[in-house]
Amino acid sequence: VGWIKDEASASDWILGQIKSSLPALDVAIFYRIYDAWQDNDIQAVIDWNDMLLAMRESAELRNEDTGLGNALIRVFPNLDITFPEIQIENWSYAAAFAWACTQCRLDKTESARGMLWSWCENQVAAAIKLVPLGQSSGQRLLSLAIPVIAQAAEQALHFADDEIGLLTPGLAIASALHETQYTRLFRS
């Protein structure tokens, strides 16, 4: 589509998602799942996991999320982390990441920052390869993301349950256009 063509447009796209869509959905639900794991409220974990996956705007975004979540769960045994045997087919990345954070006794807000950093770093790596951006541009973008990530993690703490959700037509359109392509570069 050509929407992202240089460092400035990549920065606008990536940091824009961290500022607006990720706090209102992924991070707000991550906080709820983290708390539910802490409280051993398995039904709340399942409900929030399902809510997050239902709010994905395309099959591609849902598959990306569950691919990352299920892949993370497969790594847990190598880290001496045992994931509970709960019979649901797909786990979101937020649910799997929250489980790992609670098991490692990591602070909830710092964990959310880590989740956002992981997302941002993956987006920048993709932009370096696809736009293409140079390594220096990628490093500048990551540096700009640090305060934005901190603000997004804080912002997400304040969403009420009925405020969770997003409207990102640009992301939905881009994903819908992308999901019909034959080749895939970054599939988990």
Side-chain angles (χ1 to χ4, degrees):
V1 179
W3 295 347
I4 301 173
K5 56 190 171 298
D6 55 21
E7 183 178 340
S9 57
S11 179
D12 287 347
W13 182 265
I14 294 168
L15 298 181
Q17 287 186 65
I18 296 170
K19 289 176 185 174
S20 60
S21 66
L22 292 170
L25 183 62
D26 296 74
V27 183
I29 290 181
F30 166 83
Y31 284 144
R32 282 150 178 82
I33 293 173
Y34 180 102
D35 290 342
W37 282 129
Q38 289 282 75
D39 296 339
N40 199 31
D41 186 347
I42 302 306
Q43 190 59 55
V45 169
I46 292 168
D47 291 346
W48 284 114
N49 180 76
D50 291 349
M51 176 72 73
L52 178 57
L53 296 177
M55 289 189 178
R56 292 295 179 219
E57 294 173 303
S58 69
E60 177 188 49
L61 293 172
R62 186 177 197 281
N63 290 340
E64 176 186 1
D65 195 344
T66 59
L68 287 170
N70 293 326
L72 182 57
I73 291 167
R74 287 191 301 274
V75 170
F76 287 163
N78 298 327
L79 304 172
D80 294 324
I81 297 173
T82 303
F83 193 75
E85 295 200 22
I86 302 169
Q87 299 303 313
I88 68 169
E89 184 176 338
N90 288 305
W91 287 100
S92 67
Y93 181 69
F97 194 82
W99 172 256
C101 293
T102 61
Q103 296 308 292
C104 294
R105 294 181 174 86
L106 300 176
D107 176 77
K108 180 169 71 171
T109 306
E110 289 301 316
S111 297
R113 288 179 181 181
M115 187 177 80
L116 286 165
W117 178 263
S118 173
W119 180 90
C120 180
E121 191 173 39
N122 284 322
Q123 296 299 306
V124 170
I128 287 170
K129 295 172 186 173
L130 295 173
V131 171
L133 299 178
Q135 292 293 325
S136 295
S137 292
Q139 291 301 314
R140 276 191 297 274
L141 209 159
L142 289 171
S143 293
L144 291 172
I146 294 169
V148 177
I149 286 170
Q151 183 180 16
E154 178 65 28
Q155 177 187 3
L157 285 167
H158 304 290
F159 282 99
D161 289 355
D162 64 351
E163 295 174 322
I164 292 174
L166 64 139
L167 178 62
T168 53
L171 178 62
I173 291 167
S175 178
L177 291 170
H178 185 258
E179 73 184 357
T180 59
Q181 289 179 339
Y182 176 70
T183 57
R184 310 301 289 225
L185 290 177
F186 302 105
R187 179 156 290 170
S188 299

